[in-house]
Amino acid sequence: GFWHVKENIQRALDPYLDCTEDENGVECTIPTKSSLIEKGRQDLVGAIDRLGGFKTVARDLNLKMRNPGRKALYPDLQDWDAYKQKLELWMLANDERALAEGRMPKMARLFSEGALDLYFATKKYHGGCKKVAEKMGWRRRRS
């Protein structure tokens, strides 16, 4: 269809590009998703999302990004050993019995008790409760 053709997206984006010129030539920045939505261009946002998102389309059309990606949340917890140590310390302080019995704490409990870093890292970096429990050699908590 129409929105699957990069040239059509390029033409539709042209009026919204923020371009500057210097001795190296012209450099254009892709608009943000929110700015396109404010201008009533949900159709264009949907097309960009279907083609892999703003970062992908910007790269493919040789455009700069205004905010080239957010910094990772809790980057130290991407490392398994650091994550495992923090989880075990949290359990020692908050759920010693589950730690002794080798049971994974419920995600809702991590969240409600303010361990948002562990909650996020469990889901985003380590595949969720089931995968973490398997890797730790624990069973998933059922009760």
Side-chain angles (χ1 to χ4, degrees), residues 80 83-92 95 98-106 110 129-141:
W80 171 255
Y83 166 80
K84 180 182 175 200
Q85 181 181 19
K86 184 142 191 178
L87 179 62
E88 288 173 338
L89 287 171
W90 182 88
M91 290 179 72
L92 200 56
D95 200 348
L99 181 61
E101 293 173 3
R103 285 183 290 120
M104 182 71 189
K106 288 184 178 180
L110 290 174
C129 254
K130 189 175 181 181
K131 282 212 171 42
V132 168
E134 286 169 4
K135 198 165 180 180
M136 297 287 273
W138 295 345
R139 11 181 246 289
R140 262 182 77 220
R141 174 170 250 161

Side-chain angles (χ1 to χ4, degrees), residues 5-129:
V5 179
K6 264 186 226 165
E7 291 74 25
N8 294 337
I9 290 180
Q10 174 73 58
R11 276 194 294 282
L13 275 173
D14 280 344
Y16 308 105
L17 296 178
D18 181 17
C19 298
T20 56
E21 190 169 0
D22 62 16
E23 65 277 354
N24 299 322
V26 178
E27 194 170 65
C28 295
T29 302
I30 194 169
T32 62
K33 183 181 276 195
S34 58
S35 72
L36 286 174
I37 290 171
E38 282 170 20
K39 293 176 175 90
R41 294 305 310 262
Q42 289 87 343
D43 58 336
L44 189 49
V45 169
I48 290 169
D49 285 344
R50 280 190 296 282
L51 284 182
F54 278 72
K55 205 182 265 189
T56 300
V57 170
R59 186 193 62 228
D60 291 350
L61 299 177
N62 200 24
L63 302 169
K64 281 179 35 181
M65 295 273 304
R66 195 169 312 285
N67 300 308
R70 298 182 192 118
K71 286 189 166 64
L73 280 177
Y74 316 112
D76 53 317
L77 295 181
Q78 288 177 335
D79 175 71
W80 171 255
D81 293 326
Y83 166 80
K84 180 182 175 200
Q85 181 181 19
K86 184 142 191 178
L87 179 62
E88 288 173 338
L89 287 171
W90 182 88
M91 290 179 72
L92 200 56
N94 297 283
D95 200 348
E96 215 173 324
R97 186 167 155 217
L99 181 61
E101 293 173 3
R103 285 183 290 120
M104 182 71 189
K106 288 184 178 180
M107 292 296 285
R109 180 151 184 219
L110 290 174
F111 188 85
S112 68
E113 294 190 17
L116 300 181
D117 54 347
L118 288 169
Y119 174 85
F120 181 85
T122 301
K123 288 177 72 167
K124 184 81 173 171
Y125 301 141
H126 300 291
C129 254

